[in-house]
Amino acid sequence: MKRRTFIGTAAAGAGMLGLPALSACKAPQEKEHVEESLQDDFALKEWTASQLQTAMKQGKYTSRQITEMYLKRIQLVDQTGPSLHSVIELNPDALQIADEMDKERKAGKSRGLMHGIPVLIKDNIDTADKMSTTAGSLALSRSIALKDAFIVGRLREAGAVLLGKTNLSEWANIRSSRSTSGWSGRGGQTHNPYVTDRNPCGSSSGSGVAVSANLCAMAIGTETDGSIVCPSSTNGIVGIKPTVGLWSRSGIIPISHSQDTAGPMARSVEDAATLLGLLTGTDQSDAATLGSAGKTKTDYTRFLDPNGLKGARIGVARSFFGFHPVVDQLMNQAIQQIKELGALIIDPVEIKNLREIEAPEFEVLLYELKADLNKYLAGLRPDIPYRTLKDLIAFNEKNKDKEMPWFGQETFIAAEAKGGLTDKAYTDALAKCREGARKKGIDATLVEHKLDAIIAPTGSPAWPTDWINGDHFTGGSSSPAAVAGYPAITVPAGFVDQLPVGITFMGTAWSEPVLIRLAYAYEQKSLNRKAPTFIPTLK
């Protein structure tokens, strides 16, 4: 969930690491020395999954060696050095998993594109292993899942090495209207790797930072509204927010069954597409996935076409421009590049009903947060005493010195005051959201202008992290696709000074193949991704 402005609300949208705490910044001289040592000496810097696979097939590296290299990188960059605090817990079984993958490869067995590839996952996704699943909350600090989330099971089947879990905006940024993205009671504050006193956005803060800083091959985040695309944009990577139902949500700590989805975060469209197809599938525990049958693919990499924009009709949603002049310049440069690749630009187009769905969206999220979170908590191990949202509110109040030193839990309290999902206020709000964002929103715009996709700036450059005032968003385009439950892909579009920003491609339900084709063509033309250099501050 990204904090944003809603009408009528104040809402603005184990291992060697142990439990990282909020730490003081290092002195500038010490940071500068560390930065120099991090520039070019990491052997796997910017490597893709296919490059890692080739290296393993050729015997240059084993999965264990690759995993060890990423673990050392995490120790150097995340917990010493710039102290990014993007990884909340390491998997003590990571090296054992890597060894198993190496044994299988040596025996002539390969599980495919992810065999032996280290992946980090957000700490609101269940893993039935030695790691906790906490959403960054101290209340769940000892919560070990009874079974893997559906997508984690798929990840294991694909042969990935679960490297650990990433920090996040606590409770996926839904606890308070004044929260600071990337902060959690358990994990402390995650820092942007480009300029470390800047914010990483959220709620998938740790996943975005870890991928950008080359702490893993790729990562998984989750989104309700902006929580994949915003941290992908501010951390200079690719993020795919899939159609709701393309990936199962069972075993993921929820906010809203209408809008929640997990999705891939990677340094390239190719890697994001690789991971996307491997975790699809129907799941009886998640009704939304039943509608995906026959509409999803197991391999989205076949849609990677450098000429994919030729003949495409692309609409420019100008209502999302204007929050920063340099961002507008970058978007106009992107539009020109898209034209040069053979696309027809329709500029401007308007996604109608945006204001009309803001208040209903927040109403839906409040109702579903209470219902869905209560259901998840009720299924935890018996030794976890917090079984309801009401219990969490009481825990936070009792432990407010650790859980609420900077911001409160007014959104939790507002959700607790709601009734059940049969309330007319909820059903009316849900109907307004679905019709407004889908039929009268994105779909109406696509049909009217015969578009393949709509583009817009993903969001603002990263702002200075501010625990007193909270986040300082100045713009973003995540809501239409989020409320509709439709897909969106963000790709690096350039830099405002040293801070990356992204461009979003959004479309109708199940249009991931089209969006991947378009986004890949733009990425290959623009090549805007640059690795971060951990600058302490902008002077």
Side-chain angles (χ1 to χ4, degrees):
M1 175 66 183
K2 172 178 70 69
R3 295 197 306 124
R4 48 190 297 278
T5 301
F6 292 94
I7 295 174
T9 77
M16 64 184 176
L17 297 186
L19 303 181
L22 229 59
S23 64
C25 293
K26 293 180 178 292
Q29 296 88 348
E30 182 180 353
K31 280 205 163 193
E32 287 168 7
H33 175 73
V34 172
E35 286 155 22
E36 290 174 3
S37 70
L38 292 173
Q39 294 303 308
D40 299 300
D41 62 351
F42 183 51
L44 305 180
K45 184 178 179 181
E46 300 294 283
W47 277 35
T48 64
S50 62
Q51 287 176 303
L52 292 171
Q53 285 295 346
T54 298
M56 286 187 282
K57 288 175 184 176
Q58 294 177 347
K60 181 176 181 180
Y61 291 122
T62 63
S63 177
R64 182 185 180 93
Q65 289 172 328
I66 290 170
T67 301
E68 287 177 335
M69 291 165 77
Y70 279 124
L71 290 173
K72 284 185 178 180
R73 175 78 171 175
I74 290 169
Q75 189 172 38
L76 173 65
V77 176
D78 211 56
Q79 290 301 294
T80 56
S83 297
L84 299 177
H85 287 176
S86 67
V87 181
I88 203 169
E89 184 172 4
L90 286 175
N91 184 3
D93 296 328
L95 292 176
Q96 180 182 339
I97 297 170
D99 286 341
E100 291 171 0
M101 294 304 103
D102 285 334
K103 288 178 183 177
E104 288 186 9
R105 190 183 297 276
K106 191 173 182 179
K109 178 182 177 182
S110 174
R111 301 193 187 195
L113 298 172
M114 291 299 296
H115 189 109
I117 303 294
V119 176
L120 286 165
I121 64 174
K122 189 175 178 180
D123 183 35
N124 59 349
I125 303 173
D126 284 347
T127 56
D129 50 23
K130 297 169 185 173
M131 295 187 289
S132 300
T133 305
T134 73
S137 170
L138 296 174
L140 300 186
S141 60
R142 299 190 311 276
S143 182
I144 306 293
L146 291 167
K147 64 177 183 177
D148 283 338
F150 181 91
I151 60 171
V152 171
R154 282 281 200 266
L155 201 59
R156 293 190 198 275
E157 290 169 9
V161 177
L162 271 65
L163 199 58
K165 293 195 173 182
T166 56
N167 199 12
L168 67 160
S169 311
E170 187 175 310
W171 296 111
N173 233 351
I174 194 65
R175 199 190 82 193
S176 170
S177 63
R178 292 184 56 256
S179 64
T180 298
S181 289
W183 185 91
S184 72
R186 183 184 177 214
Q189 179 66 53
T190 305
H191 301 286
N192 191 298
Y194 287 90
V195 181
T196 58
D197 67 356
R198 297 268 165 166
N199 197 267
C201 200
S203 64
S204 303
S205 311
S207 295
V209 170
V211 168
S212 188
N214 284 273
L215 307 186
C216 57
M218 57 188 79
I220 294 176
T222 66
E223 174 163 332
T224 305
D225 189 335
S227 286
I228 289 174
V229 295
C230 186
S232 294
S233 176
T234 59
N235 292 290
I237 63 170
V238 174
I240 301 180
K241 199 286 288 188
T243 304
V244 170
L246 190 140
W247 280 11
S248 170
R249 289 84 53 81
S250 65
I252 300 177
I253 297 177
I255 291 177
S256 161
H257 60 266
S258 295
Q259 294 183 203
D260 287 353
T261 182
M265 302 172 74
R267 290 181 292 274
S268 67
V269 175
E270 178 186 355
D271 276 358
T274 296
L275 189 55
L276 183 68
L278 294 175
L279 306 193
T280 61
T282 57
D283 174 13
Q284 295 300 318
S285 298
D286 183 357
T289 66
L290 304 182
S292 72
K295 299 174 183 175
T296 63
K297 315 294 179 184
T298 56
D299 181 8
Y300 285 93
T301 62
R302 60 193 176 97
F303 302 104
L304 300 172
D305 181 359
N307 298 310
L309 277 159
K310 189 174 182 179
R313 292 176 62 90
I314 306 296
V316 180
R318 286 281 171 184
S319 64
F320 295 107
F321 288 57
F323 58 82
H324 196 292
V326 181
V327 174
D328 285 355
Q329 291 174 19
L330 292 172
M331 292 303 115
N332 289 330
Q333 290 172 15
I335 291 167
Q336 182 58 38
Q337 290 175 319
I338 290 169
K339 282 182 181 178
E340 291 169 2
L341 289 167
L344 177 64
I345 298 293
I346 295 84
D347 184 6
V349 301
E350 180 184 1
I351 304 175
K352 298 179 174 64
N353 297 297
L354 293 181
R355 295 288 295 174
E356 288 77 6
I357 63 176
E358 286 184 348
E361 179 192 11
F362 192 60
E363 187 81 347
V364 168
L365 298 187
L366 291 177
Y367 271 95
E368 294 188 355
L369 172 64
K370 180 180 180 180
D372 296 354
L373 190 53
N374 282 348
K375 182 178 179 181
Y376 175 86
L377 294 169
L380 296 179
R381 291 177 179 271
D383 60 320
I384 303 300
Y386 311 108
R387 318 301 286 188
T388 65
L389 176 58
K390 186 176 181 180
D391 292 340
L392 296 178
I393 292 170
F395 173 88
N396 291 338
E397 183 61 34
K398 184 177 180 181
N399 297 275
K400 59 185 177 182
D401 58 328
K402 296 177 181 178
E403 276 290 359
M404 299 192 294
W406 310 114
F407 53 88
Q409 57 178 342
E410 62 275 10
T411 310
F412 264 19
I413 293 169
E416 176 59 28
K418 296 297 181 182
L421 299 185
T422 57
D423 281 7
K424 189 174 186 299
Y426 166 72
T427 57
D428 286 352
L430 182 61
K432 288 179 182 177
C433 284
R434 287 181 170 170
E435 183 176 39
R438 295 176 181 177
K439 183 179 178 181
K440 293 183 178 180
I442 291 175
D443 288 336
T445 305
L446 294 172
V447 170
E448 179 183 354
H449 300 285
K450 299 179 182 178
L451 302 175
D452 293 287
I454 301 165
I455 59 173
T458 306
S460 59
W463 53 93
T465 294
D466 182 350
W467 298 326
I468 304 300
N469 296 301
D471 288 333
H472 310 309
F473 293 102
T474 57
S477 61
S478 64
S479 290
V483 179
Y486 287 178
I489 301 179
T490 181
V491 180
F495 290 80
V496 178
D497 200 339
Q498 302 294 319
L499 302 169
V501 292
I503 182 172
T504 288
F505 295 76
M506 67 183 86
T508 192
W510 318 112
S511 64
E512 283 85 356
V514 174
L515 298 184
I516 287 169
R517 173 170 56 83
L518 303 175
Y520 180 74
Y522 168 73
E523 175 197 50
Q524 295 304 298
K525 171 72 173 178
S526 58
L527 298 175
N528 287 314
R529 160 71 188 171
K530 295 178 183 177
T533 56
F534 315 104
I535 299 169
T537 192
L538 292 177
K539 297 178 180 178

